Amino acid sequence: MGKVHVYDHPLIQHKMTIMRKVETGTKQFRELVDEVSSLMAYEITRSLPLTDVEIETPVSVSTQKMIAGKKLGIVPILRAGLGMVDGFLKMMPNVKVGHIGLYRDPETLEPHEYYLKLPTDVTERDFIVVDPMLATGGSAVDAIASLKKHGAKSIKLACLCAAPEGVERVQAEHPDVEIYLAALDEKLNDHGYIVPGLGDAGDRLFGTK
Ligand code: PRP
Ligand code: URA
């Protein structure tokens, strides 16, 4: 079963609390999603392999470490996942970015795919799927399945806020995928919203409500 990592660094908890507040406006919400995403990217990349390189400092020749040419890709689930991309790119400016468009039907809560564009060398990359919200898990499960169908072999999932129901569904359907969270909340309500959650992440990011 895929491991679940909840990053409870004080900076992440503090920023998540402000993000959750109903009075936090679009500008600040967007900035906070960006900042928490960078902090998560820092933690998620902790296990990246390193290689020795010989360099010359102003003082001497020295053997030092650099990241060993690992090919990575980030795949935001549109639309709210877009809010996490820049935060990840600040830490990993050279990664490629694929996009998967999914929206959740408000009645059935079922995800519908409307867009997919991935790097051409899918089979050679390690992917991180990013989406602020993991609620029923339907969107994440479908996005991961789509990536796998196109040949992706190594996938991680990074979300800001999750319900236990969503975590369990991803673990059940994609046991090979590790999940990285900024917060694991209590439950889903009858409308499929995370409680206490932060509301509709897409609307809060893009000011559409
Ligand atoms: C939200 C969110 C996730 C999904 C999570 O997207 O960004 O993609 O819901 O819910 P689930 O785990 O139950 O599938 P939404 O469908 O509202 O679309 P949007 O990003 O375009 O606002
Ligand atoms: N999607 C959101 O944006 N928020 C939730 O709480 C659940 C799904």
Side-chain angles (χ1 to χ4, degrees), residues 80 104 133-135 188 192-195 197-202:
R104 215 169 65 137
M133 310 307 278
L134 179 62
L188 289 180
Y193 275 85
I194 299 171
V195 181
L198 46 76
D200 187 309

Side-chain angles (χ1 to χ4, degrees), residues 15 30-40 87 90:
K15 289 173 194 293
R30 208 178 273 154
E31 288 166 357
L32 289 162
V33 169
D34 184 64
E35 289 166 12
V36 175
S37 300
S38 285
L39 293 168
M40 290 190 71
K90 273 181 211 139

Side-chain angles (χ1 to χ4, degrees), residues 184-205:
L184 179 56
D185 280 11
E186 283 163 33
K187 59 177 183 184
L188 289 180
N189 70 14
D190 293 343
H191 305 286
Y193 275 85
I194 299 171
V195 181
L198 46 76
D200 187 309
D203 283 344
R204 295 197 68 183
L205 271 166

Side-chain angles (χ1 to χ4, degrees), residues 15 19 29-30 36 50 57 63 69 73 85 87 89 110 112 118 123 136 155 158-159 175 201:
K15 289 173 194 293
M19 217 189 287
F29 188 87
R30 208 178 273 154
V36 175
L50 293 167
T57 75
T63 301
V85 173
L89 289 180
E110 284 302 311
H112 295 272
L118 299 174
T123 52
T136 64
I155 303 170
C159 302

